[in-house]
Amino acid sequence: MTQSAKAQFEGRDLLCRRGGRDVFAGLSYSLPSGGALLLTGANGTGKSSLLRLMAGLLRPAAGEILWAGRSITEDPEGHAARLHYLGHLDAVKPVLSAAENLRFWASLRGRTADVGAALDHFALGGLADLPGRLLSAGQRRRLALSRLLASPAELWLLDEPSVGLDHASVGKLAEAIAAHRAKGGRVVVATHTALDLPDAEPLSLDALAPPPLPELVW
């Protein structure tokens, strides 16, 4: 087992504050090699914010996020290199073909993309040369997901990854996640829809909302 595989990805007593409002407080988690964390909760409970904290795109108002016992703020570039963050936007460049989009994303990470296999997994092999602007919403989503396979990273942070996918594509996503975990990869998924994640650790943000402010009496 590699040193990276032994590493824990942890959050300790996290407080998230957005726009002067506390979104969640006292949140802790631990994600080992091969593990999956399933984020649930009503809209506005902070699922997307937590993923952005995990990615190092935001900083917690209190608490810390660690990889192998070290704060991710100590080596932000190293942390960025070990993860894929997939948000609500597909980030498909309209003038580039599907294959060129994958190669572009991989180049940003200093990787060589396995374009053919990634596109084939999500049934996009026949659209490799089609410009991004001509892809449907579902095809753009599948192309964004293909990025996970084209340039490997140990940690996947996925925000509503199944939105816009048909049933077959949701199954392909579940297959990709299972294969990633089998090789020691880690996955954090925020979702409102059913996604096959065996043995995923649930984390509900509903119970972590801070208490409401007292009502003002005039």
Side-chain angles (χ1 to χ4, degrees):
M1 183 179 293
T2 65
Q3 189 65 34
S4 180
K6 295 178 183 178
Q8 289 288 111
F9 179 49
E10 301 174 87
R12 297 179 181 173
D13 202 23
L14 298 174
L15 168 63
C16 177
R17 182 173 294 137
R18 302 298 304 273
R21 181 180 70 90
D22 290 351
V23 180
F24 57 75
L27 186 151
S28 297
Y29 68 87
S30 181
L31 184 62
S33 174
L37 194 61
L38 180 62
L39 309 183
T40 61
N43 290 335
T45 52
K47 299 185 299 298
S48 295
S49 294
L50 177 56
L51 288 172
R52 291 175 66 81
L53 288 173
M54 291 176 168
L57 300 174
L58 298 175
R59 290 202 177 188
E64 57 183 348
I65 297 176
L66 307 103
W67 184 275
R70 295 180 58 197
S71 171
I72 62 173
T73 61
E74 295 181 21
D75 183 17
E77 291 184 358
H79 185 61
R82 72 171 63 99
L83 67 85
H84 274 306
Y85 167 72
L86 181 64
H88 292 155
L89 300 178
D90 297 327
V92 172
K93 291 188 174 295
V95 299
L96 299 183
S97 70
E100 288 169 340
N101 266 280
L102 289 188
R103 283 193 285 267
F104 171 76
W105 286 325
S107 70
L108 293 179
R109 303 172 55 81
R111 306 283 178 85
T112 300
D114 188 355
V115 171
L119 291 175
D120 286 344
H121 182 85
F122 285 101
L124 291 170
L127 304 178
D129 297 325
L130 196 68
R133 68 177 181 276
L134 299 182
L135 297 175
S136 69
Q139 289 167 344
R140 288 197 300 272
R141 193 58 172 172
R142 282 151 51 201
L143 180 57
L145 290 167
S146 298
R147 184 191 339 167
L148 302 172
L149 306 181
S151 54
E154 182 168 353
L155 174 63
W156 293 0
L157 304 175
L158 311 180
D159 198 351
E160 299 289 352
S162 59
V163 167
L165 298 182
D166 57 26
H167 181 73
S169 298
V170 172
K172 286 295 185 179
L173 171 59
E175 288 178 14
I177 291 174
H180 179 62
R181 294 176 64 191
K183 293 183 290 187
R186 306 156 209 250
V187 181
V188 184
V189 180
T191 183
H192 287 292
T193 59
L195 185 62
D196 187 16
L197 291 172
D199 303 318
E201 183 73 22
L203 178 57
S204 173
L205 274 69
D206 286 327
L208 296 168
L213 296 173
E215 294 186 13
L216 295 177
V217 178
W218 299 90

